[in-house]
Amino acid sequence: MTPVLLSSHPTINFDSSPISRHSPTTLSDTESATVREAMQIIENRRIKTGRFFCNFEQYRDYLAMRFAGLVNEQFHVLYLDTNERLLEAEVHAEGDHRSVSVDLRQVVHKAITVGADSVVFAHNHPSDCVTPSQQDIICLSYCEQALEPLGIKVADSYTVSRRGICSIKKIREQEERHARYLSDARDKEKRANAAKKRAATIARKKAEKKAA
């Protein structure tokens, strides 16, 4: 995913058609129509029940439908209110089989327009590698920095493939914990080496003093 930076409840407006005749897909027309209908049912019910999704499994099942059969990368945005109620779901952009660009100005404008307090990002990996790339992690951090001053939280960002979905936030947290672990280990090693040097210096001075 490549970031591209170009210089009462609001009306609910769903774009539940990520699969269309303009988007290459491995699904038949009947299968695509079934997916769109299922998503519309889920979205309408979530409007009435309040919180959009409560757990990872529900996001997994919903996003699997949104990206079903797509052969090019797409970037989707879910706009949520302060109670995590779905305000709008859209296909923000479509790229090729390797990347998709994000126009943060459009995301910000839409979020403000619909009155979103938080957003959920998702994009697919047609290669079936669900693991986020370093560019995906960098893009998430950049989006968070851009939206935070406006009071809009990035609830999460997911990569999606036929193998499942993956939380980019969780992967980033794992990498940060690992980096902290390595840093602490290096600091511990440095302190241990410094202590050995001090002990060696003290022992040498004692030996010299004794010899004198």
Side-chain angles (χ1 to χ4, degrees):
M1 179 175 60
T2 305
V4 176
L5 304 177
L6 307 175
S7 313
S8 73
H9 293 294
T11 301
I12 297 170
N13 176 30
F14 289 109
D15 175 4
S16 297
S17 304
I19 304 170
S20 71
R21 66 178 182 274
H22 303 298
S23 300
T25 175
T26 59
L27 301 183
S28 66
D29 291 343
T30 301
E31 290 170 331
S32 296
T34 300
V35 169
R36 288 195 295 270
E37 182 179 356
M39 286 193 300
Q40 189 68 63
I41 291 172
I42 291 174
E43 290 164 350
N44 286 336
R45 285 183 178 176
R46 291 300 170 181
I47 294 169
K48 297 174 182 177
T49 58
R51 190 174 181 183
F52 186 43
F53 287 131
C54 299
N55 56 53
F56 179 82
E57 287 71 23
Q58 291 177 329
Y59 271 111
R60 178 195 62 201
D61 296 342
Y62 173 72
L63 293 176
M65 284 191 293
R66 283 196 70 88
F67 291 96
L70 296 177
V71 298
N72 287 333
E73 284 200 20
Q74 286 189 353
F75 187 84
H76 295 198
V77 186
L78 311 180
Y79 299 91
L80 310 177
D81 68 9
T82 187
N83 295 316
E84 298 188 4
R85 194 181 82 131
L86 182 65
L87 299 173
E88 185 164 342
E90 71 166 4
V91 182
H92 172 76
E94 180 168 0
D96 55 26
H97 67 286
R98 292 184 299 180
S99 65
V100 62
S101 297
V102 181
D103 185 343
L104 266 182
R105 291 196 307 182
Q106 290 183 7
V107 174
V108 169
H109 181 266
K110 178 61 71 67
I112 293 174
T113 299
V114 302
D117 288 276
S118 63
V119 294
V120 174
F121 297 137
H123 74 284
N124 59 318
H125 283 177
S127 65
D128 280 348
C129 177
V130 73
T131 304
S133 66
Q134 282 302 309
Q135 188 62 42
D136 292 337
I137 296 174
I138 292 171
C139 183
L140 168 61
S141 298
Y142 197 95
C143 289
E144 287 175 327
Q145 293 170 11
L147 293 172
E148 184 180 7
L150 302 174
I152 301 170
K153 177 185 176 183
V154 179
D156 211 332
S157 184
Y158 296 97
T159 51
V160 184
S161 80
R162 286 185 297 180
R163 297 178 183 273
I165 72 172
C166 183
S167 166
I168 301 177
K169 269 195 169 185
K170 287 187 177 180
I171 294 298
R172 184 182 62 185
E173 289 170 0
Q174 291 173 3
E175 290 188 354
E176 289 173 348
R177 283 197 299 270
H178 184 61
R180 287 196 297 270
Y181 170 79
L182 293 178
S183 178
D184 291 344
R186 286 193 294 267
D187 289 343
K188 185 177 180 179
E189 184 179 5
K190 287 179 181 179
R191 290 194 297 270
N193 290 335
K196 287 180 180 179
K197 288 181 179 179
R198 287 195 298 271
T201 300
I202 292 173
R204 177 174 53 79
K205 288 182 177 180
K206 284 184 177 180
E208 292 174 348
K209 185 176 180 181
K210 186 177 181 180

